[in-house]
Amino acid sequence: MDEEKDGSVQQSNPQPQGLASSSSTMAMAPPSWFTPRRLLIIFCVVNMINYLDRGTIASNGVNGKRKTCDGKGICKSATGIQGDFDLTNFQDGLLSSAFMVGLLVSSPVFASLAKSHNPFRLIGVGLSVFTLATAGCGAAPTFWFIVICRMLVGVGEASFISLAGPFIDDNAPISQRTAWLAMFYMCIPTGIAVGYVYGGLVGEHLNWRYAFWGEALLMFPFAVFGFVVKPLPLKGFSHVEPKKASTPVETVSAATDGSNVSIVKGPVLVGGDGINADESNKTSKSVVVHNILNRLSQFWKDMKVLLVDKVYVINVLGYVAYTFVLGAYAYWGPKAGYNIYHMKSADMLFGGITVVCGIFGTITGGFILDRMGSTLNHAFILLSGATFLGGISCFSAFCLRNLYGFLVLFVVGELLIFAAQAPVNFICLHCVKPSLRPLAMAMSTVAIHVFGDVPSSPLFGVVQDHINNWRKTTLMLTSIFFLSAGFWFIGVFLPSFDKCHDESESQDSPNPLANMSLPDGNMDKGSGEV
C-alpha cells in the first residue's frame, strides 16, 4: 500500500513496487500497434460496411421486382431477390423485418455477455456471424433460407452496435470525444447511400448474389482481426483469460458470486470414491441452469437501474420521437416530394440531401458540443435547440409552394436535425456507469427501432390513406420533432452528472495484483474453496 506523507510517497512494502506497476501496464495498456486513431478508422469502416448492407438490400438492383406484363402482352423480366424467388411485396418486406428481429433480440444479449466475456472478442464473434450470414444470403437456394440469413446478419451487427461506442468513448481524446462519436455515426447515412449505388451497379452488371458475397469479403478481414489481435480493455469490465475448471463443481462457485452458498473446504474428487458420473452430469446441468438464471437476474437488475435513471429515460424518449420522424422521412420522403413538388428525380434528390446533411450535420454537432464542453447539460441544450430549430425549418419547408424555397429550408433543417446524432449517444454513454454502457446502447437501439422507425412508415401510410393529402400528412409527421425537442428540453433541468468515471463497482477498477502470489509465497486462502 502507498502512503502519502509531506508530499512524498512512501511504501510500506517496497519489494512489489516495480512488479505492481509493470503488471498494471500489462493489464491495462493497449497493444502497441493500436492507436486511438487507428481504432476509430477501423470501427468507422466496419460501421460503413454494416450500413452498406442495409442500402444494398434496399437497392433496386438487389431487391428487384417480379415479372410483369401489360395488356399488350409485353412483359418485363423479373430481377433481383423478388424476381428470383417470385416474392409478393409482403414476403419481400419480411427480409427487412427478419434483419430487425435478429438485431433487436441480440443487442441486449451481447450487452449482457460483455460482463463475463471480453467485449473486444464479442465484436469479433459478431463480425464473423455477419460475414457468414452475408455469404449465405448470396448462396441462398430458397426464400426462407435467405430470411434466416438476414436474421443472422442482424445478430452479427448487434454486437458491434452495442460495444463499438463505449470503445470509441474510452479511447478518444477527452476534448474530442463527441467529435469522434460524430465521425463514427456519420458512417450511417454514408454507408446506406453507398449501398444504394453499390447494390444497383452489382445487380445490374453482375447478379444480386455477388453484392452479398462482396460484403462478406469486405468484412472477413475485420472478423479475423477481432480474434488475432490482443483485445483492448473496456472501462467497467475486467476480464482475465478463462481457465479450465478442474471440476464442474468449481464452476458453481464462479456462477454463484454474491449468493448464499455453503462453502466446502478442501479438494473435491470426481469419479472413483468421489462424485460419480451421473452426479457429475446432474451437477453440470444444474450449473448451466444456474448460470442462465444468474444472467437473467443480473440483466433484470441492470434494466431496473436504467429504467429509474431519469436522464437516460428522457434521452431515449426524445431519441424515439426523433427516429420516428427520420424513419418515415427515409421511406416516404421521395414519394412525398414527388407528389407535393412534382420532382423528377425525387430519389436522387432526397438521397443526396440525406448524405450531405448527414455527414456535415453529424460532424458539426459533435464539434459544437466539444467546444461548448462535453457535459450532459450542454448535450441536452444542444439537442433541444438544434431539434427545435431544425423542426421549424423542415415544417416551414413543407409549407412552401416553391420547390427551391423548399430545398433551401429543408437542407437547413436536415443539417440541424442530424447535429443531434453525436450528443444523444454521448448522453447514453455518460449518464450510466461504465459497466452499463453496452446495455444502455443496446436498449437505446431496441427502443428507437421498436417504437421509432419500424412503426412510423406504416403509420404514415395509414394517415395518408385517410387524409389523402401529402402536404398535411408530412406536416403532421414533422411536428413530432417538437415533441422530441420537448423531451430533451426537460433533460436540461434534470440533475445530472457524468458517471463515466464512477468506479463504485469492484469490477470497474481492476486490480492487477489480484491474481498474483504474495511476496512470502502464500497463496490466497480462497484458492482451495469450492
Side-chain angles (χ1 to χ4, degrees), residues 74-340:
I74 301 176
C75 298
K76 294 182 180 180
S77 59
T79 60
I81 297 174
Q82 189 173 18
D84 278 11
F85 296 116
D86 193 27
L87 306 179
T88 64
N89 288 329
F90 172 75
Q91 290 174 316
D92 194 21
L94 285 179
L95 296 179
S96 175
S97 300
F99 171 85
M100 281 298 176
V101 169
L103 177 68
L104 300 181
V105 171
S106 301
S107 292
V109 173
F110 277 109
S112 298
L113 288 175
K115 286 184 172 291
S116 57
H117 298 77
N118 188 281
F120 198 82
R121 291 289 186 248
L122 289 176
I123 291 179
V125 171
L127 298 185
S128 300
V129 173
F130 181 96
T131 302
L132 294 174
T134 50
C137 288
T142 64
F143 165 67
W144 288 109
F145 188 93
I146 197 172
V147 167
I148 294 174
C149 288
R150 291 308 301 169
M151 192 177 298
L152 292 175
V153 170
V155 171
E157 187 177 325
S159 68
F160 186 75
I161 287 179
S162 303
L163 300 169
F167 272 112
I168 293 175
D169 188 64
D170 280 353
N171 290 276
I174 296 177
S175 61
Q176 301 176 10
R177 278 179 173 174
T178 320
W180 281 40
L181 287 173
M183 285 185 270
F184 176 73
Y185 289 106
M186 174 200 72
C187 297
I188 294 176
T190 308
I192 292 175
V194 172
Y196 284 141
V197 178
Y198 167 77
L201 291 175
V202 174
E204 181 180 353
H205 293 91
L206 296 173
N207 186 282
W208 64 268
R209 297 180 183 273
Y210 287 94
F212 291 114
W213 291 334
E215 290 178 22
L217 289 176
L218 289 173
M219 188 64 83
F220 178 73
F222 298 101
V224 175
F225 181 82
F227 288 103
V228 299
V229 175
K230 182 180 178 180
L232 289 173
L234 184 63
K235 185 185 295 184
F237 301 90
S238 58
H239 300 293
V240 295
E241 292 298 323
K243 298 179 180 179
K244 293 183 179 179
S246 57
T247 68
V249 183
E250 291 179 352
T251 312
V252 178
S253 176
T256 56
D257 184 25
S259 58
N260 295 324
V261 180
S262 59
I263 298 177
V264 181
K265 303 271 181 126
V268 178
L269 301 178
V270 178
D273 296 332
I275 302 175
N276 58 36
D278 291 338
E279 292 174 334
S280 179
N281 290 335
K282 292 179 180 178
T283 304
S284 299
K285 292 179 180 179
S286 66
V287 168
V288 173
V289 173
H290 184 87
N291 282 338
I292 294 175
L293 294 176
N294 192 47
R295 289 184 187 279
L296 291 175
S297 175
Q298 185 61 48
F299 173 77
W300 178 239
K301 288 179 182 178
D302 292 341
M303 281 298 302
K304 286 194 291 186
V305 173
L306 292 180
L307 292 176
V308 298
D309 190 322
K310 295 179 181 179
V311 174
Y312 179 79
V313 172
I314 283 294
N315 186 54
V316 172
L317 288 175
Y319 203 7
V320 167
Y322 170 91
T323 309
F324 186 94
V325 182
L326 287 186
Y329 269 7
Y331 190 83
W332 292 106
K335 198 165 187 177
Y338 176 80
N339 285 276
I340 297 173

Side-chain angles (χ1 to χ4, degrees), residues 108 168 476 481:
I168 293 175
M476 291 174 61
F481 275 137

Side-chain angles (χ1 to χ4, degrees), residues 48-63 187-203 211 215 355:
M48 183 85 74
I49 298 173
N50 279 331
Y51 282 90
L52 178 141
D53 172 77
R54 299 197 192 184
T56 296
I57 196 166
S59 66
N60 290 328
V62 171
N63 194 299
C187 297
I188 294 176
T190 308
I192 292 175
V194 172
Y196 284 141
V197 178
Y198 167 77
L201 291 175
V202 174
E215 290 178 22
V355 172

Side-chain angles (χ1 to χ4, degrees), residues 382-399:
L382 179 58
L383 283 174
S384 57
T387 307
F388 182 75
L389 295 176
I392 290 177
S393 186
C394 291
F395 192 92
S396 302
F398 282 107
C399 288

